[in-house]
Amino acid sequence: MPFVLKKFKVIKNKTIQISLLQDLDLDRRQSSRLLSRGRIFRSDNSAYKVSDIINEDYIYIAMFEGHTRGLKPLFTTSDFAIFDKPSNLVIHPNSKKTEYSLLDEIRYHFGDNANQAHRIDAETSGLVLVGRKESVTNALATMFEEKEYKKSYLTIVRGEIKEEITIDKNLKKEGKSIGVKMTTCSKQEGKSSITIIKPIKYNKEKNQTLVEAIPITGRQHQIRIHLHSIGHTILGDPIYGVEDDIAQSYLTKTLDDKKRFETSGSYRLWLQANYLEFTYKGVIYKIYSKNKEILAQFES
């Protein structure tokens, strides 16, 4: 388990927040985060709240302790690193019960102050940029927010795409029972969203096309919904191109592998963050994923 309880000596009769600042030398942001997430406990395992007074000599904090399963960074500098994330690996633990995430490897290799600068979906494989300390992570995250980078994805879609397509369709939340699902909408609604689609190769036997997808904007599920909207759903997508009951079963983790394969065409979403280009401290970095699974899947 990535979260372990650690015991700390404190001084009685202080509020827990003051104790975290004075006795453990945490900053306000760290202490507030731990308290708001219910990760500080008494000896009886009850969680402290912000204004609670300490009446024991020790407190117990559930701290994230990264461990490795052998995943190493693809590229490392003194300030940041890039991981080539495999599919079906969440970047950040969803709960204390998450046994393994990319954050485990990040913290294992680079310590408690390292963090991801952006996210990709659990089933999307490929490049994830990581700051080795908080100030760098914040700077890199701002770079992503302000679109000061270039990136592209590889994906396998159903049907044949013969020429380059620019998909310019606004996106908004679908507003139905599946909360994460997006939909295209009119220019008067939602948020502007543009994706460039470049066909690479067509597999006639499978009726599938390997394409490069270049998101000009960065909306939730943008590539997935844009491709689905033009009739070329990504192979293995369990949310778009399937009935709502299938999508709901997938999100609640009750969809069995056989049913998923029958309805989506594969056991995983075939989407890979394949290329990332950005400038940091005057140096231009151009990084490609080394994961060849998507190419092997297309050719098999």
Side-chain angles (χ1 to χ4, degrees):
M1 293 296 289
F3 285 94
V4 294
L5 272 182
K6 293 192 175 183
K7 184 178 179 180
F8 295 90
K9 176 80 172 172
V10 291
I11 298 174
K12 291 181 181 180
N13 300 320
K14 293 182 180 181
T15 66
I16 183 64
Q17 191 163 43
I18 293 298
S19 179
L20 293 174
L21 297 173
Q22 295 179 349
D23 302 338
L24 273 64
D25 200 29
L26 299 182
D27 61 36
R28 288 190 179 277
R29 183 177 177 184
Q30 291 172 312
S31 61
S32 296
R33 185 188 300 127
L34 289 169
L35 286 165
S36 66
R37 294 179 179 178
R39 292 184 184 167
I40 305 178
F41 302 91
R42 301 175 181 86
S43 58
D44 64 2
N45 290 325
S46 61
Y48 277 100
K49 296 180 181 179
V50 175
S51 59
D52 287 349
I53 303 295
I54 296 173
N55 58 6
E56 298 178 317
D57 293 321
Y58 296 91
I59 60 172
Y60 303 82
I61 303 179
M63 302 186 72
F64 187 92
E65 191 170 271
H67 66 285
T68 185
R69 293 187 180 179
L71 181 63
K72 297 179 180 179
L74 177 67
F75 179 79
T76 304
T77 74
S78 59
D79 280 349
F80 67 85
I82 295 176
F83 281 87
D84 206 353
K85 186 183 82 67
S87 179
N88 290 305
L89 176 63
V90 295
I91 288 185
H92 199 274
N94 299 318
S95 70
K96 294 177 183 178
K97 295 182 180 180
T98 302
E99 293 185 357
Y100 178 66
S101 69
L102 184 63
L103 188 62
D104 276 287
E105 297 290 357
I106 293 170
R107 296 285 171 82
Y108 175 82
H109 288 285
F110 302 116
D112 292 343
N113 293 321
N115 221 328
Q116 83 281 353
H118 63 112
R119 295 193 180 197
I120 57 177
D121 292 338
E123 287 197 11
T124 301
S125 57
L127 305 178
V128 178
L129 184 58
V130 170
R132 296 183 59 172
K133 56 184 178 181
E134 188 173 6
S135 60
V136 175
T137 301
N138 291 339
L140 294 174
T142 299
M143 176 189 78
F144 273 89
E145 290 169 3
E146 297 181 355
K147 307 296 185 292
E148 296 173 348
Y149 62 87
K150 295 178 182 178
K151 65 178 178 179
S152 69
Y153 292 72
L154 286 182
T155 186
I156 301 171
V157 301
R158 301 186 185 206
E160 183 179 11
I161 297 179
K162 295 182 178 181
E163 56 189 15
E164 182 175 319
I165 304 168
T166 297
I167 306 172
D168 183 356
K169 297 182 179 182
N170 283 22
L171 299 180
K172 67 176 183 178
K173 290 279 189 180
E174 188 181 47
K176 296 183 180 179
S177 59
I178 302 173
V180 300
K181 198 170 184 179
M182 306 295 288
T183 187
T184 57
C185 58
S186 69
K187 290 294 184 180
Q188 289 71 44
E189 300 178 275
K191 295 182 178 180
S192 174
S193 305
I194 302 173
T195 307
I196 298 171
I197 303 298
K198 297 181 177 182
I200 297 172
K201 192 174 182 180
Y202 177 60
N203 186 319
K204 186 175 180 180
E205 182 180 345
K206 292 183 176 181
N207 190 27
Q208 296 171 359
T209 307
L210 178 69
V211 305
E212 179 184 23
I214 304 169
I216 306 303
T217 51
R219 312 302 182 196
Q220 178 176 310
H221 293 181
Q222 177 177 312
I223 295 172
R224 297 165 67 177
I225 184 59
H226 268 173
L227 283 164
H228 174 63
S229 75
I230 62 169
H232 295 286
T233 306
I234 295 176
L235 181 66
D237 198 323
I239 295 178
Y240 300 99
V242 299
E243 297 296 328
D244 281 356
D245 63 326
I246 297 297
Q248 191 63 46
S249 296
Y250 167 76
L251 292 169
T252 56
K253 303 186 185 302
T254 57
L255 181 64
D256 65 68
D257 293 341
K258 182 180 179 181
K259 189 68 174 178
R260 172 168 184 179
F261 200 95
E262 290 174 353
T263 54
S264 73
S266 188
Y267 63 92
R268 63 155 283 195
L269 178 76
W270 287 101
L271 179 64
Q272 176 170 295
N274 195 60
Y275 176 73
L276 181 62
E277 177 182 333
F278 60 95
T279 300
Y280 182 79
K281 290 186 176 179
V283 178
I284 299 173
Y285 294 90
K286 299 180 179 182
I287 311 293
Y288 283 92
S289 170
K290 291 186 177 181
N291 189 328
K292 303 301 181 184
E293 287 184 353
I294 196 166
L295 301 178
Q297 170 67 25
F298 182 75
E299 298 290 352
S300 65

